Amino acid sequence: MADEIDVETVAADLRRRLARQLATDGRLHSPQWRAAVEAVPRHAFLPHFYRESDAPGVTTWEPVMPETAGKAKWLGLVYSDETWVTQFNGHDIDWADPQPISNATPTSSSTMPSLVVRMLEDLGVQDGMKVLEIGTGTGYSTALLCHRLGSGSVTSIETDDGVARRARQALTGSGHSPDVLVGDGRIGHAEGAPYDRLIATCGFRGIPPSWLEQVRPGGVIVTTLRGWMRSLGLVKLIVTDESASGWFSDGAPSFMIARQQDAPKSLGMLPGLDDGTARKAAYGPEILSRSGPAFMAQLAAPDARFFSTAIDGGPVSTFVLDSVTQSFAVLAPTESGWQVRQGGTRRLWDAIESAATWEEHGSPSTGAFGVTVSRDQQTVWLGNPNGPRWALSS
């Protein structure tokens, strides 16, 4: 049969091809990480997964496994530069009889290799260093760390017991034996401290104080800071005695938020048609989805979320709701632009418009922003620590 292939031989060739692609794209620089990508069998950590269907309508994910897709296609997808979902809504998949899934939220995945190696390169590890990883997931990135530093130098924390169990099995099968713990990544693992490096493969609303305590001065933290509207960005921090400071990277990588920091299920109170006070809006809802202005909007309204819908057959309006303060802003189209109606203890759209004056700041990329964090305060700044500043929620 055409699909009777030697999986290990084909996988080894695909790993070399993936490493070449990542190097050509400027993601993979050091020979040590290239050797890790070429050696670690990603297919051992992705024996089955879900991919998003191309069918129109409701977002649906379809299972992919060698028994149904064929070994060649399965391996080709495994070694592509894509993120593959392995869990939804915090529930394990019945892989004996997997079915298409709709109306579900991904809660675990194997992140696209280009982003994984970018973060590992940013980590700047050296031989003999100890690393704490937050978010084991499938265990693939954990295995890359083990290949580079040795299993005894790697500790990984996963919040989901089933995900951690499968990762341990895959790691053991690949010849690695790091400490894989089940717990809240925000707490870290004080028993293994101090660490030289900390890497988080899920998003956090702020830097937990425990991380500052457990990473030695001069050590590095690489993580994604994000809010409930969108990812804020990837940041690399250098730890000092009592704080940490660093810069965001250009681009907008998106990780699932840590489960302990999930947004409340309720979006907040939906305002009535006459609630609040109205004015002409300087910006429309497009600034919530454009990468630059949306970055600023998230800083201005870190507890807000938004959606668009038509009410009572009228035009599509955008609702920005803050479930913490119960504040709201409703944007509705008019013949001359947009009108905003606001209410609650915060004028959400006033704050967003003030932060999103993109042109006044020279339309900077996310790489123009930095962040300084301490136990009591976390601040994002533009240009330098004395420039425009925004406080982060945690």
Side-chain angles (χ1 to χ4, degrees), residues 25-95:
D25 292 344
R27 299 298 190 186
L28 194 54
H29 305 288
S30 68
Q32 294 92 339
W33 287 122
R34 180 161 185 162
V37 172
E38 291 180 344
V40 173
R42 194 186 188 204
H43 66 281
F45 300 88
L46 279 171
H48 31 237
F49 54 90
Y50 274 81
R51 67 183 301 194
E52 189 172 332
S53 169
D54 295 330
V58 176
T59 300
T60 300
W61 287 269
E62 298 175 339
V64 176
M65 49 202 303
E67 296 85 352
T68 55
K71 294 176 184 177
K73 182 177 181 180
W74 162 67
L75 283 173
L77 291 172
V78 165
Y79 288 104
S80 62
D81 189 25
E82 299 286 349
T83 295
W84 300 122
V85 177
T86 55
Q87 188 192 63
F88 297 90
N89 298 335
H91 300 141
D92 288 346
I93 305 294
D94 178 9
W95 286 107

Side-chain angles (χ1 to χ4, degrees), residues 125-178:
V125 299
Q126 298 176 18
D127 292 349
M129 285 187 169
K130 291 172 57 179
V131 176
L132 178 62
E133 178 188 45
I134 309 299
T136 313
T138 64
Y140 174 66
S141 58
T142 318
L144 293 173
L145 284 164
C146 290
H147 185 278
R148 173 67 180 85
L149 297 169
S151 295
S153 297
V154 179
T155 301
S156 187
I157 300 177
E158 170 58 47
T159 192
D160 187 291
D161 183 67
V163 171
R165 183 178 64 255
R166 289 185 289 276
R168 286 193 202 99
Q169 292 170 348
L171 285 160
T172 299
S174 300
H176 303 295
S177 55

Side-chain angles (χ1 to χ4, degrees), residues 205-227:
R205 284 164 58 78
I207 302 298
S210 62
W211 295 5
L212 300 179
E213 297 166 359
Q214 293 174 25
V215 176
R216 65 169 177 80
V220 174
I221 295 172
V222 175
T223 187
T224 300
L225 291 175
R226 61 162 294 170

